Amino acid sequence: MAIKTNRWLTINIMFEKTKIKTLAWCMEDWTSLYFIPAFVREYYRYKDLESVKKTRLEIIKNLLEEELVVTGDLSLDNIFTPWNLSIDKILKRIKSEWDNLDRELYMYELVWFDLTEKGKKEFEHLNSLPELKETNPFYFDDK
């Protein structure tokens, strides 16, 4: 039983670290889908793309369900337009469009994420926990 608990805690911390890194980047600016798989690889150390995609969708689902981010498109003139879709439709759209690329994801395609006020508060809370403290170069706590 202790092994399962330790493994769960490790997985949970990796999940939360990936989540906090995503929130930190979203605090700085709109963040494209391209970066989330990079964060997943950083903490989970997956070698195969399918594991990265699966975990990435779990993290996105969590962020959307907790209303920490919104998804949308970013125009060439730097205007963010939120998607007016249910969470299930957002996840299906992201998965379908990424699967249909038949190549590596480019930096600025498919979907963008914008941080909500609730997301800012969640980042501050998670970043106050010693085991999750983010050392993101884009975030500086002035306190």
Side-chain angles (χ1 to χ4, degrees):
M1 188 79 156
I3 294 172
K4 281 186 178 179
T5 302
N6 289 340
R7 179 167 160 58
W8 180 84
L9 287 174
T10 301
I11 290 171
N12 192 37
I13 287 175
M14 289 186 302
F15 186 90
E16 294 299 323
K17 281 184 167 277
T18 305
K19 183 171 141 180
I20 195 173
K21 183 110 178 203
T22 304
L23 294 175
W25 277 63
C26 287
M27 277 188 84
E28 179 63 22
D29 202 355
W30 298 296
T31 301
S32 76
L33 176 65
Y34 175 85
F35 293 99
I36 297 175
F39 303 153
V40 169
R41 281 189 177 107
E42 177 181 348
Y43 294 113
Y44 285 84
R45 304 287 186 210
Y46 290 141
K47 301 290 186 217
D48 65 297
L49 185 58
E50 286 311 308
S51 294
V52 171
K53 284 182 178 181
K54 182 180 178 219
T55 303
R56 174 234 21 176
L57 280 174
E58 290 170 4
I59 289 166
I60 292 169
K61 181 180 180 186
N62 178 268
L63 293 170
L64 291 170
E65 286 177 345
E66 291 187 18
E67 300 176 344
L68 306 179
V69 299
V70 293
T71 56
D73 295 309
L74 191 61
S75 66
L76 293 176
D77 53 350
N78 215 26
I79 296 173
F80 180 82
T81 306
W83 291 351
N84 189 19
L85 301 170
S86 69
I87 293 172
D88 286 341
K89 287 184 180 177
I90 289 169
L91 295 172
K92 285 178 186 173
R93 179 175 173 178
I94 292 169
K95 182 178 181 342
S96 173
E97 289 183 13
W98 195 7
D99 287 347
N100 289 327
L101 282 178
D102 202 28
R103 61 168 168 75
E104 286 292 319
L105 186 63
Y106 294 153
M107 191 173 294
Y108 302 109
E109 62 184 355
L110 299 186
V111 62
W112 289 83
F113 301 92
D114 190 20
L115 194 65
T116 65
E117 279 302 314
K118 188 175 178 183
K120 290 177 187 174
K121 290 176 184 171
E122 178 71 0
F123 172 80
E124 295 296 338
H125 166 70
L126 292 173
N127 199 47
S128 71
L129 303 174
E131 60 274 356
L132 296 178
K133 186 98 173 137
E134 180 56 53
T135 57
N136 189 308
F138 294 121
Y139 180 75
F140 301 98
D141 191 352
D142 295 334
K143 295 178 187 172

